[in-house]
Amino acid sequence: MLNRKNTFSEPVRIFDTTLRDGEQTPGVSLTPDQKLEIATHLSEIGVHVIEAGSAAASAGERQSIKLISDAGLSAECCTYVRALAQDIDFAADFGADSVHLVVPVSDLHIEKKLRKTREQVSAMAWSAVEYAKDRGLIVELSGEDASRADRAFLQELFREGIDRGADRLCFCDTVGLLTPERAAELIPPLCMAPLSIHCHDDLGFALASTMAALKAGATCAHVTVNGLGERAGNTALEELVMSLEVLYGHATGIRTEDLYHLSTVVSRLTGVALATNKPIVGEMAFTHESGIHAHGVMRDASTYESIIPERVGRKRRIVLGKHSGSAAVETALHEMGYRPDAGQLAEIVQRIKQLGDTGKRITDADVMTIADAVLAIEFAPALELMQFTIVSGSNAMPTASVTLTVKGEEITCAATGNGPVDAAIRALQRSVSDVGTVRLEQYHVDAISGGTDALVDVTVKLSKDGVSVTSRGARTDIITASVEAVIAGMNRLLREEKHEDRSENSH
């Protein structure tokens, strides 16, 4: 692990704007209860400030601010406001601790968006600072589009803002034009009070520019979980925290072991799926297939991993495919309880490679099916589907009814969901609740061919009692494919002999 000398002048504060800037991701809309759930997680992991929303945006936003401010969280509750008395009144009346007071500072924004002059914007900003202080609020005065602002004007606006009572300042790189080199030049003269850096990732520089600004004297970073935000998003909370911790040896105070759980909660509630190759929290961040890489990781994880996955609440995965070697396959089989001899292992490896050559994603259920066949193990399914019915439409809550035989007993369950697939999976989970709690960890679907009759390939990751398994279903109907995938995975999780060694003598 790299552990460079700490180059930061003081502890870095984390200002999370998932509930404001993150919610401005196109298509994302959170209810007040969902915002409270996310805010609670943010506070519990150690985030210092939570921007709960925009006070003037809607009644629902104000309700969210009130819920979060009344929740007794350790994090400061902040809200975005314009330089308007009504916005500030909303913030104070609904319990916010602080305001993120944003004013345009580039001539482009001042003239084209506001159609005002620099003098008018300055007067509005300073007046708003004084009014917010009179209302008892902590004020973070923020320059929008600061990367394109006249330096002298920005410094004057900030300096007078502090004289009028502003507690903190913020440099907003609104469209992602800041570079690390420019950050090193622009930030130091603005550190006349605690300064935040707020970067967008339009050109992929958000994290780098944020780090450069912090090294140049900024003391707070604005971030979002999973890098959510308008257009290409904002600096990602998990990436910033782990970069500070790992690359610079800077203790953030964030409970890093909870980062992945927070990431999955936000992904679920916002409906924004994580890119598979996303750093820290993406599906493939700690997944290895290549024979050389997998072999190296099994001998010493640091050969191909910069951090151990448990540090961010994850586990290492060795997935099998056409690139896998015997060592990786044998390790995976041992984890599944199989103990093949050398000849059987060679046959299993060959069959896995043949399946991989067809272009298919190989799941745990595939590997177990191959191993069962080679080792001649008879596998009696723990559950079998008898029938399922889905009701869904423009005026109907999606509802699913399923009938299964679970270890010989016929069980019928029904459930509603956000859609027909969600309803079907919930019904299946209820059906097996008496024998165990099966959780859906991941869901992925691919259309294998074009057209309305396309074959869809659904892959799911299920877990029970700390054991996880991936499985697949492929049909022309996405609901049927999903049900097939979930039942295949449940059967593997619920098989009675899953904790016993399975070899050619196990049947």
Side-chain angles (χ1 to χ4, degrees):
M1 178 182 75
L2 299 177
N3 194 3
R4 300 175 183 171
K5 184 179 179 181
N6 193 329
T7 59
F8 306 100
S9 58
E10 57 184 89
V12 173
R13 299 175 77 246
I14 305 297
F15 180 114
D16 187 276
T17 182
T18 302
L19 303 182
R20 199 274 300 175
D21 223 334
E23 196 190 20
Q24 291 173 199
T25 302
V28 173
S29 182
L30 297 168
T31 67
D33 286 340
Q34 289 173 331
K35 284 199 170 193
L36 177 60
E37 181 178 348
I38 293 172
T40 301
H41 283 294
L42 288 168
S43 182
E44 288 175 347
I45 72 166
V47 165
H48 302 93
V49 184
I50 298 170
E51 189 170 28
S54 177
S58 70
E61 286 289 88
R62 294 188 285 278
Q63 183 186 352
S64 298
I65 294 165
K66 183 65 174 171
L67 278 175
I68 292 169
S69 66
D70 288 346
L73 305 181
S74 60
E76 179 184 306
C77 178
C78 180
T79 180
Y80 174 101
V81 297
R82 299 163 296 179
L84 299 174
Q86 184 184 53
D87 285 24
I88 295 167
D89 285 337
F90 281 142
D93 293 344
F94 285 86
D97 301 308
S98 62
V99 289
H100 180 206
L101 172 57
V102 180
V103 292
V105 292
S106 70
D107 290 334
L108 175 65
H109 277 229
I110 291 171
E111 296 170 7
K112 300 297 184 181
K113 187 174 80 169
L114 291 187
R115 298 189 178 184
K116 295 185 181 296
T117 65
R118 289 184 182 181
E119 291 74 22
Q120 289 173 312
V121 167
S122 294
M124 289 172 58
W126 299 332
S127 176
V129 168
E130 292 179 329
Y131 186 68
K133 293 305 297 181
D134 288 342
R135 291 299 318 262
L137 295 161
I138 299 168
V139 177
E140 182 160 318
L141 177 59
S142 189
E144 183 181 17
D145 202 28
S147 306
R148 294 187 287 191
D150 176 77
R151 298 186 195 183
F153 169 66
L154 181 58
Q155 289 182 39
E156 178 188 1
L157 185 139
F158 277 179
R159 187 178 296 108
E160 183 67 20
I162 294 168
D163 290 343
R164 302 291 183 99
D167 303 279
R168 304 190 287 251
L169 304 172
C170 180
F171 183 104
C172 284
D173 180 33
T174 303
V175 291
L177 294 175
L178 192 62
T179 63
E181 294 80 9
R182 290 192 69 228
E185 180 183 355
L186 295 175
I187 294 302
L190 301 175
C191 294
M192 53 192 82
L195 180 73
S196 299
I197 179 68
H198 179 113
C199 291
H200 283 258
D201 207 32
D202 296 74
L203 294 170
F205 268 65
L207 176 61
S209 294
T210 297
M211 296 295 292
L214 293 172
K215 290 175 65 179
T219 57
C220 178
H222 284 206
V223 295
T224 60
V225 178
N226 300 336
L228 290 174
E230 296 179 85
R231 305 179 311 279
N234 293 48
T235 305
L237 166 67
E238 60 281 357
E239 294 175 24
L240 176 80
V241 167
M242 296 315 298
S243 293
L244 287 168
E245 296 263 357
V246 176
L247 298 179
Y248 293 93
H250 180 85
T252 62
I254 298 296
R255 289 171 49 181
T256 63
E257 65 273 15
D258 292 330
L259 283 173
Y260 181 61
H261 177 61
L262 171 64
S263 170
T264 57
V265 167
V266 171
S267 177
R268 171 175 56 83
L269 293 179
T270 60
V272 179
L274 296 170
T276 57
N277 63 340
K278 192 179 187 311
I280 312 299
V281 295
E283 180 184 352
M284 299 303 175
F286 298 98
T287 300
H288 309 271
E289 178 186 331
S290 167
I292 295 174
H293 282 211
H295 197 198
V297 166
M298 286 186 291
R299 289 188 170 183
D300 185 334
S302 65
T303 54
Y304 290 103
E305 289 178 351
S306 57
I307 60 175
I308 60 172
E310 289 77 10
R311 188 170 178 183
V312 293
R314 304 204 61 181
K315 291 184 178 181
R316 181 178 304 109
R317 288 185 64 223
I318 305 295
V319 300
L320 304 181
K322 65 179 181 180
H323 302 109
S324 300
S326 296
V329 174
E330 185 172 30
T331 298
L333 290 171
H334 284 181
E335 290 178 353
M336 294 173 183
Y338 294 95
R339 296 292 185 270
D341 61 28
Q344 292 166 337
L345 176 62
E347 176 64 20
I348 293 170
V349 170
Q350 181 183 358
R351 294 194 188 191
I352 287 172
K353 287 180 178 291
Q354 288 173 346
L355 184 58
D357 280 335
T358 66
K360 292 182 179 179
R361 176 184 301 188
I362 298 175
T363 67
D364 298 331
D366 294 327
V367 175
M368 296 170 88
T369 298
I370 291 171
D372 285 345
V374 172
L375 275 60
I377 296 174
E378 294 182 6
F379 167 48
L383 57 88
E384 293 184 68
L385 176 68
M386 298 181 69
Q387 70 84 31
F388 75 90
T389 303
I390 304 291
V391 177
S392 182
S394 58
N395 297 315
M397 170 73 73
T399 303
S401 172
V402 299
T403 301
L404 305 171
T405 55
V406 181
K407 296 186 175 180
E409 180 183 356
E410 185 175 311
I411 295 176
T412 298
C413 282
T416 59
N418 294 325
V421 171
D422 184 48
I425 293 175
R426 288 174 184 268
L428 289 170
Q429 289 172 310
R430 286 186 180 180
S431 299
V432 300
S433 60
D434 286 345
V435 293
T437 300
V438 176
R439 302 182 185 278
L440 176 66
E441 302 290 350
Q442 293 175 4
Y443 177 90
H444 181 82
V445 60
D446 290 308
I448 298 175
S449 59
T452 57
D453 61 345
L455 184 68
V456 293
D457 191 338
V458 173
T459 305
V460 297
K461 180 181 178 182
L462 306 173
S463 68
K464 176 181 176 291
D465 300 331
V467 178
S468 63
V469 64
T470 56
S471 56
R472 187 205 305 111
R475 298 292 181 104
T476 55
D477 177 75
I478 189 172
I479 302 172
T480 304
S482 300
V483 169
E484 182 179 83
V486 171
I487 287 179
M490 285 181 169
N491 263 319
R492 293 298 173 177
L493 285 173
L494 298 174
R495 64 190 298 182
E496 292 180 350
E497 71 272 31
K498 69 182 173 67
H499 293 302
E500 302 172 2
D501 284 354
R502 293 185 281 273
S503 66
E504 72 275 18
N505 296 319
S506 298
H507 63 285

